[in-house]
Amino acid sequence: MRHWPLLDLRLTTPRLELRLPTLDDLDRLADRAVEGIHDPEFMPFLSSWTDAPAEELPGRLIRSQLAALANWTPENWRCYFMIVHEGQVVGTQCLRATDFAVTREVGSGSWLGRAHHGKGIGTEMRAAVLHLAFAGLGAESAISSALSGNEASHAVSRKLGYRPDGHDIVAVRGRRVVDHHFRLLREDFVSPVPVEIHGLDACRADFGVG
Ligand SMILES: CC(C)(COP(=O)(O)OP(=O)(O)OC[C@H]1O[C@@H](n2cnc3c(N)ncnc32)[C@H](O)[C@@H]1OP(=O)(O)O)[C@@H](O)C(=O)NCCC(=O)NCCS
């Protein structure tokens, strides 16, 4: 987009394209949410957003994605990439930061449609945004959290070099749950896949880095 080049930022890995969403992408992402993201018995999300009534879930998801773009500032951004695999939108990977110019620390969050779990896509997409953070934007550290029992998310963090960094006790679905924190330092990150960044120079200022 001529007047907001951020929307043209793309990352590519051997199997994936990560891009900012078009409205059509969001429609397809909502299909994945409706099909199911996780075992209904286990809630991996702090906000329990997937417990929304089925008829409300797609609209809420699309509005929250649009809100992230609408509320974007260089001091506080949430960059939701669409994960495109074999021509299909299969999930989303978020990279976010507050006051990144000063903190040089990013956070992340992600999900895939259930049919796409367990094929290494989660690791590949997290590696892609970490490469953007460390190599592209000059981050010093990255944090991640996962609820107790979310073995896949814990495994992805471990594989990419994050170290345990404490925990919180949180309420999820009215139950006491441990939320585990992890931190990855720049020098500990080696991407398991090659990642290419396309179109970053035109939108560095959006991330708070000149
Ligand atoms: C978390 C998520 C994005 C990971 O994506 P993915 O493509 O399934 O992850 P990968 O295939 O790259 O890696 C998963 C790893 O977890 C491991 N794993 C999965 N379930 C496991 C279990 N029950 N016990 C132990 N390890 C497990 C896999 O063996 C794999 O590790 P390996 O490659 O060393 O074998 C995906 O599972 C998902 O969308 N989950 C639901 C939403 C969610 O939890 N989001 C994160 C909230 S913090």
Side-chain angles (χ1 to χ4, degrees):
M1 178 182 276
R2 281 184 301 118
H3 289 294
W4 200 12
L6 172 74
L7 296 181
D8 298 323
L9 177 63
R10 286 188 318 120
L11 312 178
T12 50
T13 69
R15 292 189 297 166
L16 308 177
E17 179 187 25
L18 289 79
R19 65 180 183 227
L20 275 289
T22 63
L23 293 179
D24 189 52
D25 287 338
L26 292 182
D27 210 31
R28 289 159 196 269
L29 183 70
D31 285 334
R32 302 294 87 76
V34 170
E35 290 159 9
I37 297 171
H38 54 82
D39 178 351
E41 298 296 311
F42 176 75
M43 172 49 70
F45 299 114
L46 259 176
S47 65
S48 301
W49 64 273
T50 46
D51 280 347
E55 66 280 12
E56 291 178 21
L57 187 66
R60 285 197 198 182
L61 169 64
I62 291 167
R63 283 190 295 278
S64 88
Q65 288 270 334
L66 292 173
L69 284 175
N71 295 321
W72 186 295
T73 66
E75 294 76 33
N76 190 1
W77 42 264
R78 284 182 295 147
C79 189
Y80 282 96
F81 286 100
M82 299 296 103
I83 307 305
V84 183
H85 176 54
E86 295 176 344
Q88 203 189 1
V89 174
V90 294
T92 180
Q93 172 72 58
C94 178
L95 186 74
R96 60 175 170 256
T98 302
D99 295 324
F100 179 74
V102 179
T103 66
R104 298 281 168 173
E105 181 162 275
V106 293
S108 65
S110 64
W111 60 264
L112 290 166
R114 259 185 111 172
H116 306 280
H117 289 194
K119 299 174 185 169
I121 296 175
T123 305
E124 198 161 318
M125 66 200 207
R126 180 103 68 92
V129 296
L130 289 170
H131 180 78
L132 170 65
F134 291 125
L137 298 171
E140 293 295 335
S141 55
I143 56 172
S144 179
S145 293
L147 298 177
S148 187
N150 193 345
E151 303 304 337
S153 179
H154 286 234
V156 170
S157 294
R158 260 196 320 271
K159 279 193 286 182
L160 292 174
Y162 290 76
R163 296 175 196 209
D165 191 35
H167 66 266
D168 279 335
I169 304 295
V170 294
V172 178
R173 286 180 167 166
R175 291 219 172 105
R176 185 180 196 273
V177 178
V178 179
D179 188 27
H180 297 272
H181 301 319
F182 303 90
R183 180 173 267 103
L184 171 64
L185 303 181
R186 178 190 181 84
E187 57 269 29
D188 291 338
F189 176 63
V190 179
S191 179
V193 287
V195 182
E196 286 184 18
I197 304 174
H198 312 266
L200 179 59
D201 283 345
C203 59
R204 276 179 190 285
D206 285 306
F207 293 94
V209 289

